[in-house]
């Protein structure tokens, strides 16, 4: 395979850190946040060292440089996510802010009593709470489509819940707990036929190079830079320009206005309308650098490598007695949530940590899904293309050993 894992790992300095007791770090918490290649770290450092100034307003060369880098980063994000010409990329602080922007600016102004917002049982709190708030403000109702036993979206139930009352469908493209990926093209076709808009939470699909926007047909796409190897505090809402331009501002302040007077204020079109105040300029530059890095990879090979890691991990875990995996549908990103009979997820995480392995435990900001599964929480191992077969084998061996001690 044309994929030199050692060369790739050399790009990520943190992967060579030693943990307690001199153990090598095995970073399996990528769904929470991904690590950064040196090129992203350098881009941030270079920007602060050579090109930094506030954007858009400065009548001097440095501000022009800074503005042009910021706008270049925006163009990179649009291109990377396959945004068609009639879409616009708004920089936000991350997927959470993007979803809140949609729910507040679009939701509060377009929903009314009797309307429905269709979500699914596997949503992250970031794609639940903003809609609950929008429902409180407007009288609209949140409706949820079920998931099947294998963690996939129950399309029959989705179709049943989708009706002329549905004004927006907002779904995770990939679940941060189950790893399951929805059939976005099919969802989009059904949603459009019902006359509703589609918002996709792509926080977990973006790191795994899944479909571009034109393939999914989503009207709104929310992403976080830190999950795709860029800095924290940066993200994007990529949406149809026509819809964005029909939406009122979400926050007021500098840079988003055309003119301000005591008689009233007029607003600039998107994206500036939604970027009040000084944005996270450096975050956007780092986001762009992360995209440059991903584009330098053989993405097909990276995807194949992730699939191989997932298959090996899933296979090996199945031989551990009492272990149950949540999310077994075939179309998955490399996220494996599991429980082990009679053992608390935190005890597992503590034992693994002693061996240098980082995983996540808890409800993963998806409490309604935990209720559906009848669980308090799970343990979750989530992988990225820089993880190795050796790490997967070490993880399963260490987990097996931990289970034998904890039982
Ligand atoms: N949606 C999903 C599916 C997620 O996994 C996350 C992050 N865990 C978010 C939204 C929110 O992302 P952020 O915290 O970066 O805003």
């Amino acid at each position: 395979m044309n994929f030199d894992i050692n060369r790739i790992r050399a790009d990520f300095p943190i992967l060579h850190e030693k943990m307690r007791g001199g153990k090598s770090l095995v970073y399996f918490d990528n769904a929470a946040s991904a690590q950064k290649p040196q090129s992203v770290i350098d881009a941030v450092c270079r920007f602060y060292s050579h090109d930094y100034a506030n954007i858009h307003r400065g009548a001097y060369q440095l501000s022009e440089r800074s503005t042009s880098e910021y706008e270049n980063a925006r163009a990179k994000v649009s291109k990377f996510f396959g945004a068609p010409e009639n879409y616009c990329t708004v920089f936000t602080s991350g997927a959470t802010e993007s979803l809140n922007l949609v729910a507040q600016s679009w939701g509060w102004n377009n929903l009314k009593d009797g309307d429905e917002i269709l979500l699914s049982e596997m949503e992250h709190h970031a794609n639940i709470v903003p809609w609950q708030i929008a429902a409180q403000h407007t009288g609209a109702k949140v409706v949820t489509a079920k998931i099947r036993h294998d963690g996939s979206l129950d399309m029959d139930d989705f179709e049943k819940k989708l009706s002329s009352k549905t004004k927006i469908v907002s779904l995770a493209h990939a679940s941060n707990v189950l790893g399951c990926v929805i059939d976005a093209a099919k969802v989009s076709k059904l949603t459009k036929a019902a006359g509703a808009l589609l918002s996709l939470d792509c926080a977990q699909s973006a790191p795994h190079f899944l479909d571009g926007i034109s393939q999914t047909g989503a009207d709104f796409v929310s992403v976080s830079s830190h999950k795709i190897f860029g800095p924290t505090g940066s993200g994007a809402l990529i949406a149809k320009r026509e819809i964005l331009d029909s939406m009122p501002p979400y926050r007021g302040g500098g840079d988003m206005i055309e003119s301000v007077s005591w008689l009233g204020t007029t607003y600039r079109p998107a994206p500036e309308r939604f970027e009040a105040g000084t944005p996270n300029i450096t975050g956007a530059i780092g986001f762009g650098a992360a995209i440059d890095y991903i584009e330098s990879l053989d993405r097909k090979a990276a995807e194949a490598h992730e699939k191989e890691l997932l298959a090996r991990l899933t296979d090996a875990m199945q031989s551990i007695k009492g272990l149950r995996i949540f999310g077994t549908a075939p179309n998955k990103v490399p996220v494996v949530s599991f429980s082990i009979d009679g053992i608390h997820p935190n005890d597992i995480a503590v034992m693994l940590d002693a061996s240098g392995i980082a995983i996540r435990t808890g409800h993963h900001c998806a409490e309604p899904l935990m209720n559906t599964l009848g669980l308090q929480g799970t343990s979750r191992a989530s992988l990225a293309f820089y993880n190795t077969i050796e790490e997967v084998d070490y993880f399963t061996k260490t987990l097996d050993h931990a289970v034998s001690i904890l039982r």
Side-chain angles (χ1 to χ4, degrees):
M1 196 194 293
N2 178 22
F3 189 72
D4 183 349
I5 188 70
N6 290 327
R7 191 187 57 72
I8 283 167
R9 287 179 70 79
D11 294 335
F12 290 80
I14 209 165
L15 298 180
H16 309 284
E17 282 294 302
K18 294 286 180 217
M19 297 295 103
R20 249 179 259 121
K23 304 275 186 202
S24 296
L25 169 68
V26 174
Y27 188 72
F28 278 9
D29 195 20
N30 293 284
S33 201
Q35 298 299 351
K36 322 301 170 201
Q38 188 65 49
S39 59
V40 167
I41 301 165
D42 289 346
V44 167
C45 184
R46 183 197 44 72
F47 180 65
Y48 273 137
S49 308
H50 299 287
D51 295 326
Y52 179 77
N54 209 332
I55 53 165
H56 294 154
R57 282 157 288 184
Y60 51 89
Q61 202 193 344
L62 204 57
S63 177
E64 279 166 24
R65 269 187 0 215
S66 178
T67 303
S68 126
E69 288 209 38
Y70 182 76
E71 293 305 330
N72 263 339
R74 193 193 305 280
K76 284 179 196 174
V77 173
S78 303
K79 181 168 163 282
F80 179 72
F81 288 101
E85 275 288 289
N86 59 334
Y87 279 63
C88 171
T89 294
V90 177
F91 277 124
T92 63
S93 64
T96 300
E97 192 191 6
S98 303
L99 289 159
N100 275 279
L101 199 169
V102 179
Q104 277 193 42
S105 173
W106 183 87
W108 292 17
N109 292 286
N110 287 281
L111 295 168
K112 58 179 185 332
D113 197 14
D115 289 345
E116 291 183 354
I117 304 156
L118 181 53
L119 312 179
S120 87
E121 285 181 328
M122 62 177 149
E123 300 313 314
H124 186 280
H125 294 165
N127 194 32
I128 299 175
V129 184
W131 294 114
Q132 289 178 325
I133 298 171
Q136 276 161 11
H137 270 262
T138 61
K141 193 172 143 201
V142 171
V143 175
T144 50
K146 289 189 186 311
I147 54 164
R148 294 201 188 93
H149 283 305
D150 64 2
S152 61
L153 180 65
D154 183 336
M155 289 306 290
D156 295 334
D157 195 56
F158 176 78
E159 283 196 57
K160 211 161 77 194
K161 305 271 170 69
L162 185 68
S163 75
S164 58
K165 290 187 193 160
T166 314
K167 292 293 171 294
I168 190 157
V169 171
S170 192
L171 298 176
H173 193 193
S175 158
N176 65 313
V177 178
L178 307 164
C180 297
V181 179
I182 63 165
D183 182 344
K186 191 166 172 194
V187 161
S188 160
K189 214 165 140 209
L190 293 166
T191 302
K192 297 280 146 70
L197 296 183
L198 176 62
S199 148
L200 280 188
D201 169 3
C202 294
Q204 295 295 342
S205 54
H208 306 290
F209 329 118
L210 299 184
D211 318 331
I213 290 174
S214 36
Q215 285 149 283
T216 65
D219 299 291
F220 299 104
V221 165
S222 297
V223 290
S224 290
S225 150
H226 73 97
K227 304 230 192 235
I228 65 160
F229 319 102
T232 51
S234 181
L237 172 69
I238 309 159
K240 271 205 187 113
R241 179 176 285 284
E242 192 189 358
I243 304 175
L244 283 176
D245 281 340
S246 76
M247 287 161 43
Y250 156 69
R251 284 185 188 146
D255 226 27
M256 49 78 75
I257 53 88
E258 241 158 37
S259 97
V260 180
S261 80
W262 297 121
L263 297 176
T265 293
T266 53
Y267 310 115
R268 293 173 74 185
E272 287 82 8
R273 177 179 302 185
F274 301 104
E275 294 180 10
T278 302
N280 184 352
I281 308 167
T282 315
I285 307 302
F287 192 177
I291 287 171
D292 287 340
Y293 179 81
I294 295 168
E295 290 191 328
S296 75
L297 299 173
D298 178 342
R299 276 148 76 185
K300 285 252 165 312
E303 212 183 327
H305 174 69
E306 285 188 355
K307 281 199 171 18
E308 193 185 347
L309 294 176
L310 176 63
R312 192 166 177 112
L313 179 62
T314 309
D315 248 26
M317 284 173 78
Q318 260 145 12
S319 65
I320 298 175
K321 219 167 133 238
L323 187 146
R324 192 167 152 216
I325 293 176
F326 302 96
T328 52
N331 194 10
K332 269 189 75 165
V333 293
V335 170
V336 182
S337 274
F338 60 96
S339 70
I340 299 175
D341 285 347
I343 303 179
H344 196 279
N346 285 353
D347 294 339
I348 293 170
V350 169
M351 294 283 285
L352 293 176
D353 180 45
S355 296
I357 301 169
I359 64 156
R360 178 61 65 108
T361 62
H363 56 57
H364 314 292
C365 298
E367 283 191 50
L369 175 58
M370 292 299 131
N371 286 336
T372 299
L373 299 173
L375 299 166
Q376 296 279 328
T378 69
S379 303
R380 181 187 70 186
S382 54
L383 313 185
F385 59 79
Y386 48 57
N387 290 124
T388 66
I389 291 285
E390 291 74 24
E391 286 180 318
V392 166
D393 291 349
Y394 175 66
F395 169 83
T396 42
K397 204 171 122 226
T398 313
L399 179 62
D400 199 17
H401 182 63
V403 169
S404 69
I405 292 173
L406 290 166
R407 275 235 169 87

